[in-house]
Amino acid sequence: MERFGGGGYEAAAAELSRQQERHYRLLSELQALVKALPSSCQQRLSYTTLSDLALALLDGTVFEIVQGLLEIQHLTEKNLYSQRLKLHSEHRAGLKQELFHRHKEAQQCCRPHNLPILRAAQQREMEAVEQRIREEQRMMDEKIVLELDQKVIDQQSTLEKAGVSGFYITTNPQELTLQMNLLELIRKLQQKESESEKAFS
């Protein structure tokens, strides 16, 4: 049976040593970043959680995943915001403006003794339109909240599948806050990594 050359073993040992060094560096950077978080969060981020997070970040894949998720989130927020603005301007410029002109024309053609009745009817119509506008905006806001909630679930699921410690699907506010802080830690660490890469290149 052929024996492996010493070179293969040494290369593997050197790689393992590099990985351990990187893990230790990531872990100590995470520990430093955690100090900036509220104390309630610091208490929940144990050494084990941070060590697991550092392990997940070793090959850089999680950085890319988080970057992608953030880009998707920003695009979604931008898209939803422009949909809301569009609805708002359609209501302002469209419905209300049109109604205002129609009412004005009707008042100009109306006989003086019928004016109070016409104005009362127009007032009711305006109130009904404003109620409809409020209802449409409320529905739009609900749709926005649901879409953003879905994005959070997608992020939780993706990061859980990627093996990132602390991520799983939950709607518990405390867990969500913890996950947001973990995401922020990953993002800050990613910035540090890319800054140090630029410094060395």
Side-chain angles (χ1 to χ4, degrees):
M1 205 153 106
E2 224 179 294
R3 291 184 64 198
F4 288 110
Y9 174 76
E10 285 166 12
E15 179 57 28
L16 187 64
S17 170
R18 260 197 308 278
Q19 294 281 13
Q20 284 174 332
E21 231 172 85
R22 181 164 160 72
H23 177 252
Y24 180 73
R25 189 173 50 76
L26 286 170
L27 178 57
S28 60
E29 284 178 8
L30 280 170
Q31 286 172 316
L33 288 170
V34 164
K35 288 177 183 157
L37 295 176
S39 60
S40 59
C41 242
Q42 288 182 35
Q43 290 163 6
R44 300 208 43 221
L45 292 169
S46 66
Y47 177 86
T48 311
T49 304
L50 293 177
S51 180
D52 289 348
L53 182 57
L55 271 175
L57 297 172
L58 273 183
D59 70 353
T61 311
V62 171
F63 288 137
E64 289 169 25
I65 291 170
V66 167
Q67 189 59 42
L69 291 173
L70 286 174
E71 284 168 16
I72 291 168
Q73 184 180 333
H74 291 152
L75 279 173
T76 304
E77 286 170 359
K78 208 170 160 184
N79 183 20
L80 292 170
Y81 180 69
S82 67
Q83 280 179 35
R84 194 177 193 282
L85 276 184
K86 187 173 171 240
L87 182 71
H88 191 68
S89 66
E90 278 172 10
H91 288 155
R92 287 277 164 262
L95 283 171
K96 287 180 107 171
Q97 207 68 22
E98 183 191 317
L99 198 59
F100 179 75
H101 289 304
R102 221 176 59 225
H103 284 182
K104 206 171 179 183
E105 281 172 21
Q107 285 173 18
Q108 287 167 348
C109 302
C110 184
R111 295 206 170 132
H113 65 278
N114 288 336
L115 209 52
I117 298 164
L118 178 69
R119 282 194 176 136
Q122 287 178 338
Q123 179 64 34
R124 283 193 301 275
E125 189 181 8
M126 183 58 92
E127 283 167 8
V129 164
E130 284 183 344
Q131 178 59 39
R132 192 180 118 201
I133 287 172
R134 278 195 299 275
E135 188 57 26
E136 282 181 21
Q137 284 182 332
R138 187 188 61 74
M139 284 163 67
M140 169 63 87
D141 290 343
E142 280 179 11
K143 177 185 168 236
I144 288 172
V145 168
L146 285 173
E147 273 198 51
L148 291 175
D149 284 349
Q150 187 54 52
K151 280 284 159 278
V152 170
I153 290 169
D154 293 347
Q155 289 176 351
Q156 291 170 334
S157 170
T158 303
L159 291 166
E160 183 182 19
K161 284 175 189 159
V164 184
S165 182
F167 284 92
Y168 59 94
I169 294 172
T170 179
T171 53
N172 178 321
Q174 288 171 312
E175 294 304 311
L176 287 170
T177 303
L178 189 69
Q179 289 180 352
M180 282 163 59
N181 283 311
L182 283 170
L183 269 179
E184 190 58 23
L185 289 176
I186 294 169
R187 222 178 46 72
K188 283 181 177 169
L189 206 51
Q190 183 179 17
Q191 285 172 337
K192 275 185 147 185
E193 292 275 295
S194 61
E195 281 164 20
S196 66
E197 278 171 23
K198 281 175 195 162
F200 286 115
S201 60

